[in-house]
Amino acid sequence: SALCLVSVTTAMPASASPKGWDNASTIGVGILAGAALLVPAVQGDWKGDLQAGESLGAAFAVSYGLKKAFPEERPDHSDRQSFPSGHASLSFAAAASLQNRYGWEVGLPAQILAAFVGTARVEARKHHWYDVVAGAAIGESSGFLLTSKRNSRVRVLPWGDAHGAGMALGMRF
């Protein structure tokens, strides 16, 4: 499936119209969000489904809040909702949730598709590159912070306070 996603991302012509890139990015985010919710559901992994929903919801809420707090004009001048990219935040939240829950075999194709969505948002002239980077950071953070590995014997836990931040490794024997 990774090969299939790579071929889709490389098959897009460089001369595609902004509308074509916009449509492709919307399809990509739909596929990723759907996969983040359907993969756990099909496996009867309701905890994973709940965590994916939380990750997507958090990414949406943070992105929406930042769009309202920092209205920035889009490169195509259509409105003032450029920062951060909501498509990128949702795509990377879904990809990070899948990767964190099920491993790199599922996560790598999802991350590749999320990167395509981010690239397509810039090519569609809906976002500046830094809007996409901010959206990706929001999505990756929500995906990794709110999703746990299906095998809970090993966990990597981020932490932070006023004096610093880091990662803690927990193992159950």
Side-chain angles (χ1 to χ4, degrees):
S1 68
L3 181 59
C4 200
L5 288 175
V6 171
S7 66
V8 167
T9 60
T10 58
M12 294 296 293
S15 62
S17 70
K19 182 69 175 160
W21 284 108
D22 188 25
N23 290 340
S25 68
T26 300
I27 291 167
V29 74
I31 289 169
L32 283 165
L37 296 170
L38 287 175
V39 167
V42 167
Q43 295 183 15
D45 178 13
W46 304 117
K47 183 177 180 182
D49 209 24
L50 179 63
Q51 290 175 354
E54 290 171 344
S55 173
L56 292 168
F60 174 81
V62 170
S63 295
Y64 183 80
L66 288 172
K67 283 179 182 292
K68 295 301 179 190
F70 302 101
E72 180 182 348
E73 189 171 23
R74 293 184 188 270
D76 69 355
H77 309 292
S78 61
D79 62 33
R80 296 187 55 81
Q81 305 234 345
S82 188
F83 180 82
S85 170
H87 280 67
S89 69
L90 289 174
S91 294
F92 280 96
S97 292
L98 288 166
Q99 181 171 340
N100 201 30
R101 188 84 179 151
Y102 301 108
W104 71 268
E105 298 88 350
V106 175
L108 181 62
Q111 293 285 354
I112 291 169
L113 183 53
F116 169 77
V117 169
T119 301
R121 297 307 289 167
V122 174
E123 291 296 325
R125 299 193 35 79
K126 293 294 182 182
H127 293 288
H128 305 280
W129 66 267
Y130 50 86
D131 301 330
V132 170
V133 170
I138 291 165
E140 288 290 322
S141 296
S142 71
F144 279 107
L145 291 173
L146 299 174
T147 307
S148 63
K149 296 232 180 272
R150 186 148 192 205
N151 176 358
S152 62
R153 292 168 45 104
V154 177
R155 294 189 66 167
V156 176
L157 304 167
W159 62 269
D161 61 23
H163 303 288
M167 303 286 274
L169 177 66
M171 296 173 30
R172 186 173 55 172
F173 296 96

